[in-house]
Amino acid sequence: MNGADHLVHSLLAGEVDVCFANPGTSEMHFVAALDRIDRMRCVLGLFEGVVTGAADGYYRIAGKPAATLLHLGPGLGNGLANLHNARRARSGIVNIVGDHATDHLANDSPLTSDIEALGRVVSRWVRTTRSAHTLRADALAAIEAAATPPGQIATLALPADAAWGELPAGQAPLAPDSMRPAVAYRPFESAAVVAAARALSGPDTLLLLGAGALDDEALTDAGRIAARTGCTLMTEFYTAKLSRGAGRVSAARLPYAVDPTVAALARFRQIVLVGARAPIAFFAYPDKPRRLAPAGCAFITLTEPEHDGRAALAALAAELGASALAPAHVASRRTIDAGALPTGRPTSDGIAAVLAAYLPEHAIVIDEAVTTGRSFGPPTASAAPHDWLSVMGGSIGFALPCAVGVAIAAPNRKVVALEGDGSAMYTIQALWTMAREALDVTVVIMANRAYQILRGEFAGVGAGTPGRRATDMLTLDRPTLDFVAMARGMGLEAARTDDLSEFARLFGRAMSQPGPQLIELVIG
Ligand SMILES: Cc1ncc(C[n+]2csc(CCOP(=O)(O)OP(=O)(O)O)c2C)c(N)n1
Ligand SMILES: [Mg+2]
């Protein structure tokens, strides 16, 4: 057995049994070990941004880390943007990054680079294994770091000689699942529970929900707290995974832009933060505030993301004597008559009505629809129960890779990726992995032929009105992107429409048929 065999056995021992991969020469012994040893599901991504985004999506649904396999510094570098998103989502990932054999590094051959430096940009834990002998301990330490709640990125550089190095025959491999990492949330402060209970009273107080406070159970307790105190419930704009839909407690999402956020927060005197941050502007604008709550508003932190938000909300409900109350703000199911759906040119509201009508129970929606998706929240609140995932770090090119990982984590649930046309083009190769792995993903491309958001931002930051050269940097026409051809070229069924009724027909059909498919929705 060589080091690579021990690495694979160690990953499996720590319950890491999916590997999103894009290998090269330095990783061939690891690839050979993956080949020899059963149980690891290996999924090829044709760009490292697909690999790392898939690992993020996988963690959000599976609740345990996947491994990535990346080729030296450049492979890790290609994957950084989606690792950045994963770090912001607090997803646990074990990156295995191949490196040159130790005695070859001094020769400074072309792919030599500082892997640890690149890894540190996104990782909580970075290490280069020294030899085959240190691999087992290093792999287990990486898994433990990655699985530390709510989740962290661990990057292990794997020199080729550590992978091919033979170990004494006596060292038996670890058994699968034998080294489940024993890591727990940090306990929350009971003083914070008392302070939050005192602060919440009436609609001018806000319970702002973020990391760890977004699943059905946490939302139910938040609804009970609202029933008892009359407080307002909201979530942060971005949510790693939000339980939504009919029968669940529905909390409005904070808006994206500065002015509507300031308006939405204007009345609050006290804000209790549950895994959330005090609201700030996404970007700085010359004449707008950066901190968006009103002056004098008091913040009470019930939990940080490292705490168990669900348990803290249960404790807060108990402190308020609300544990047995019926929760407030439960979304009711509106059955939507297909004949009554909006028709004509696609609008955000019209698209949302179609989604609400056809999303099947337990669907997982990944939202990178950018400007088109801004108002999808309220109309879909009464859809069948579903989960809603957003890009957490603002780095676009997330939804399609994320959908790959999500679909692998939840093979029996329908996955819907709502994707801007500009965002899609960063990591469009994810479609190929969807086809190859026969994943049950429906991709809807919002084809407005522009970086639409940036048109607004141009004026918003005070840069004036875009001229010809600037406009060319904000539009995606000339030539028109043909997503149907791209999807078919990568093995997906695909269709295009610029009509809401046809979209409803296509989307409804996609929801009732398994397998990867793409709808290009042209928005004029
Ligand atoms: C990695 C990365 N590069 C660039 C940007 C800047 N950016 C933000 S949104 C956007 C365009 C989004 O276009 P699209 O997905 O078509 O959505 P639309 O704005 O048209 O609704 C760009 C380029 C970013 N956020 N992340
Ligand atoms: Mg666009």
Side-chain angles (χ1 to χ4, degrees):
M1 291 233 301
N2 64 21
D5 292 311
H6 272 283
L7 175 55
V8 175
H9 283 301
S10 302
L11 290 169
L12 292 171
E15 283 191 274
V16 177
D17 53 13
V18 174
C19 180
F20 298 104
N22 189 276
T25 306
S26 35
E27 296 81 45
M28 286 297 119
H29 277 277
F30 185 44
V31 171
L34 290 167
D35 207 25
R36 271 193 295 275
I37 302 162
D38 278 341
R39 281 213 29 182
M40 183 72 79
R41 176 153 184 196
C42 300
V43 180
L44 178 63
L46 302 185
F47 174 67
E48 290 83 349
V50 175
V51 169
T52 54
D56 181 1
Y58 180 87
Y59 186 82
R60 294 194 201 189
I61 298 300
K64 63 175 189 169
T68 67
L69 165 52
L70 303 167
H71 186 50
L72 300 100
L76 174 58
N78 276 345
L80 277 186
N82 272 333
L83 286 173
H84 161 86
N85 286 329
R87 183 178 75 84
R88 288 283 176 179
R90 300 187 174 80
S91 290
I93 298 176
V94 177
N95 294 315
I96 307 292
V97 186
D99 199 0
H100 289 307
T102 316
D103 66 354
H104 192 46
L105 283 173
N107 297 328
D108 196 29
S109 70
L111 274 160
T112 306
S113 62
D114 190 342
I115 293 172
E116 290 197 6
L118 283 162
R120 269 192 293 274
V121 175
V122 290
S123 314
R124 224 7 136 66
W125 184 102
V126 179
R127 191 177 291 176
T128 302
T129 208
R130 274 180 288 122
S131 73
H133 295 266
T134 53
L135 255 181
R136 176 187 286 196
D138 288 346
L140 294 176
I143 296 166
E144 183 159 316
T148 299
Q152 308 186 135
I153 297 176
T155 298
L156 179 63
L158 173 65
D161 53 333
W164 72 51
E166 285 295 326
L167 281 157
Q171 205 181 101
L174 295 168
D177 301 343
S178 59
M179 303 292 285
R180 180 187 298 232
V183 277
Y185 280 100
R186 259 174 42 205
F188 57 86
E189 305 280 332
S190 46
V193 175
V194 175
R198 231 178 263 138
L200 293 171
S201 100
D204 294 351
T205 58
L206 172 64
L207 190 58
L208 183 59
L209 307 172
L214 301 170
D215 67 7
D216 199 9
E217 207 176 304
L219 288 165
T220 301
D221 274 323
R224 292 183 174 124
I225 292 161
R228 166 67 80 214
T229 65
C231 73
T232 302
L233 295 183
M234 285 189 171
T235 71
E236 293 187 302
F237 175 72
Y238 284 152
T239 51
K241 185 176 74 171
L242 174 65
S243 300
R244 308 180 74 236
R248 288 173 165 169
V249 170
S250 165
R253 179 188 191 190
L254 272 180
Y256 168 80
V258 169
D259 294 342
T261 311
V262 169
L265 294 171
R267 72 171 194 273
F268 297 117
R269 318 170 262 112
Q270 318 245 47
I271 300 181
V272 172
L273 302 168
V274 195
R277 299 180 64 191
I280 47 158
F282 203 87
F283 288 105
Y285 301 86
D287 302 317
K288 291 188 195 288
R290 275 60 156 157
R291 294 178 176 275
L292 307 183
C297 175
F299 288 99
I300 297 96
T301 301
L302 177 63
T303 54
E304 307 274 358
E306 294 74 23
H307 296 122
D308 186 344
R310 193 197 290 160
L313 282 168
L316 178 55
E319 176 75 18
L320 289 161
S323 304
L325 289 185
H329 309 300
V330 174
S332 55
R333 174 91 170 124
R334 261 184 316 187
T335 37
I336 296 151
D337 172 10
L341 284 172
T343 55
R345 303 295 289 267
T347 59
S348 283
D349 287 348
I351 299 165
V354 173
L355 300 177
Y358 290 106
L359 274 180
E361 202 167 335
H362 306 310
I364 303 171
V365 180
I366 301 150
D367 175 10
E368 194 173 41
V370 197
T371 53
T372 313
R374 283 292 153 71
S375 52
F376 284 173
T380 54
S382 54
H386 59 276
D387 285 323
W388 196 276
L389 280 53
S390 37
V391 47
M392 295 299 287
S395 179
I396 59 176
F398 154 81
L400 304 182
C402 178
V404 167
V406 163
I408 284 172
N412 299 319
R413 298 173 67 180
K414 180 65 90 174
V415 180
V416 177
L418 305 174
E419 180 66 314
D421 49 1
S423 300
M425 290 305 296
Y426 286 70
T427 43
I428 193 75
Q429 306 90 327
L431 298 180
W432 180 86
T433 306
M434 290 175 196
R436 179 185 240 208
E437 300 289 329
L439 302 178
D440 192 9
V441 180
T442 298
V443 176
V444 183
I445 302 284
M446 311 295 167
N448 58 12
R449 315 297 187 204
Y451 287 159
Q452 187 62 31
I453 186 175
L454 298 185
R455 292 170 145 177
E457 296 290 69
F458 196 91
V461 297
T465 310
R468 187 177 52 78
R469 266 198 299 276
T471 301
D472 274 353
M473 285 187 264
L474 308 179
T475 47
L476 303 176
D477 54 354
R478 302 197 332 276
T480 300
L481 290 159
D482 185 341
F483 285 96
V484 171
M486 284 186 264
R488 288 188 182 146
M490 286 186 260
L492 272 75
E493 276 183 41
R496 176 185 303 112
T497 181
D498 62 358
D499 174 76
L500 267 178
S501 309
E502 177 63 1
F503 174 58
R505 194 186 68 77
L506 291 169
F507 188 74
R509 199 183 59 180
M511 291 306 97
S512 63
Q513 283 178 357
Q517 40 207 315
L518 179 143
I519 303 169
E520 178 177 346
L521 182 58
V522 180
I523 301 167

